[in-house]
Amino acid sequence: MLFLILRKAGKNTEAGLMPGAELFSAMGSYHEQMAQAGILRAGEGLQPSAKGVRVKLSDGKASVIDGPFAETKELIAGFSMIDVASKQEAIEWVKRWPVEDGDVTLEIREVGCPGGCVGVDPAEAAALAGAAGNGGKPGIRFAILLRSDQNTEADAVPDSKLIDAMNDYNRQAVKDGVLLAGQGLQSSTKGARVQFSGGKPIVTDGPFAEIKELIAGFWIIRVASKHDAIAWASRYPYPLGAKVEVEIRQVYEAEDFGDAFPPEMREAEERMRAQLLESGMQPTLAGAPR
């Protein structure tokens, strides 16, 4: 079973502060343990919301709101995807989150969506784009986070024609080398939150009442600019109805950390990337603030 681990934002991540060497090392070790256990499938750190936007679509019209966004508790600082046997196993892994990250909140969500929408696997997407001659295209990576609503939290099943249109759009975007990964999330009823206080984890099972704070799915795309990311998200065939809200956030790359990314961590990152690629997984930036 695939689960997405969402690291909630805080003052430091929203300020764009780089993690210290101790946290870099701890997070690197944690993700390397996941990789060696064969459960790590993907992971990204997201830049502060000051560099992001929200796009609200209503009856085909898009309105764009520039960041930063004041509701820090609603924001995501990063995410990882793991493949484990059960939600309880996912919780046990999250309870081992490095204490060096402080009093953080992590949300665990089961991957999948009703109606037969097809997720985009990073390794398969890279292979298909390469076969089409569009692999390794230059550009900036952005995460598009789909905000939940009453329908997604009720696991409502969209019309099959809408699902088919979305799947077709995804396949073409993968071939074009634009869409790198993407998954829907099941309702928070099947999820959990792990909140750390003084290094001790407190687990709360879903569902969660704050629907506007939840994510119903995500896409990772690679385009030339934030303007292009907004355009892509605005024309996407969402099967959720006339009103949709997404948040667009730029993804951290290794070079964004500069001297804050110690040489030994760069070497560890290279080793882990090699391990992940050999097993058909998606590399993750070990030191990214999650």
Side-chain angles (χ1 to χ4, degrees):
M1 301 172 67
L2 289 174
F3 291 89
L4 201 68
I5 302 170
L6 298 155
R7 199 279 199 187
K8 294 288 188 174
K11 291 182 179 179
N12 288 346
T13 60
E14 272 297 277
L17 298 180
M18 293 295 102
E22 188 176 8
L23 178 54
F24 261 122
S25 179
M27 290 303 301
S29 175
Y30 178 67
H31 283 98
E32 195 162 15
Q33 289 174 32
M34 285 184 166
Q36 291 175 351
I39 67 169
L40 188 61
R41 291 294 178 269
E44 303 295 352
L46 304 182
Q47 296 198 22
S49 69
K51 296 184 178 181
V53 298
R54 283 180 179 161
V55 179
K56 294 185 177 182
L57 302 172
S58 180
D59 298 319
K61 297 181 180 179
S63 60
V64 179
I65 304 169
D66 290 319
F69 306 116
E71 316 90 339
T72 301
K73 68 177 183 178
E74 298 182 14
L75 302 175
I76 304 300
F79 58 85
S80 302
M81 187 183 296
I82 59 174
D83 189 354
V84 292
S86 66
K87 184 178 80 171
Q88 187 56 45
E89 186 177 351
I91 290 172
E92 292 305 316
W93 272 101
V94 172
K95 286 165 68 174
R96 295 163 58 184
W97 193 268
V99 296
E100 291 84 354
D101 201 18
D103 292 345
V104 299
T105 299
L106 300 117
E107 190 168 293
I108 301 168
R109 298 285 299 281
E110 187 175 338
V111 170
C113 59
C117 62
V118 179
V120 178
D121 176 82
E124 293 178 1
L128 187 56
N134 291 314
K137 291 174 61 177
I140 304 170
R141 292 190 304 151
F142 292 90
I144 299 175
L145 308 174
L146 176 64
R147 288 287 172 181
S148 297
D149 61 14
Q150 297 287 347
N151 288 331
T152 59
E153 270 298 281
D155 284 325
V157 179
D159 185 274
S160 60
K161 292 182 179 179
L162 298 177
I163 291 290
D164 290 343
M166 182 179 69
N167 289 338
D168 289 343
Y169 193 88
N170 285 347
R171 279 190 286 269
Q172 187 58 54
V174 167
K175 290 181 181 179
D176 293 340
V178 173
L179 183 56
L180 308 179
Q183 294 285 355
L185 300 180
Q186 298 197 32
S187 67
S188 68
T189 301
K190 299 179 180 179
R193 279 182 183 155
V194 180
Q195 190 167 14
F196 285 85
S197 178
K200 296 182 179 180
I202 302 171
V203 179
T204 305
D205 285 316
F208 306 119
E210 317 91 338
I211 292 179
K212 67 176 184 178
E213 298 180 16
L214 302 176
I215 301 299
F218 75 95
W219 299 261
I220 301 292
I221 63 172
R222 181 171 51 212
V223 290
S225 66
K226 183 168 68 174
H227 176 79
D228 289 338
I230 293 171
W232 194 90
S234 297
R235 63 175 178 265
Y236 190 86
Y238 305 97
L240 304 181
K243 295 184 178 181
V244 175
E245 180 177 348
V246 298
E247 186 169 298
I248 301 175
R249 302 279 295 282
Q250 187 170 336
V251 174
Y252 272 112
E253 308 291 353
E255 54 267 24
D256 295 322
F257 295 92
D259 294 337
F261 204 20
E264 62 271 20
M265 284 304 303
R266 291 182 184 273
E267 294 176 5
E269 174 71 10
E270 291 293 334
R271 290 197 303 271
M272 188 168 66
R273 283 178 180 271
Q275 293 173 0
L276 294 172
L277 288 173
E278 286 175 4
S279 55
M281 302 177 194
Q282 169 72 357
T284 177
L285 184 60
R290 304 254 195 262

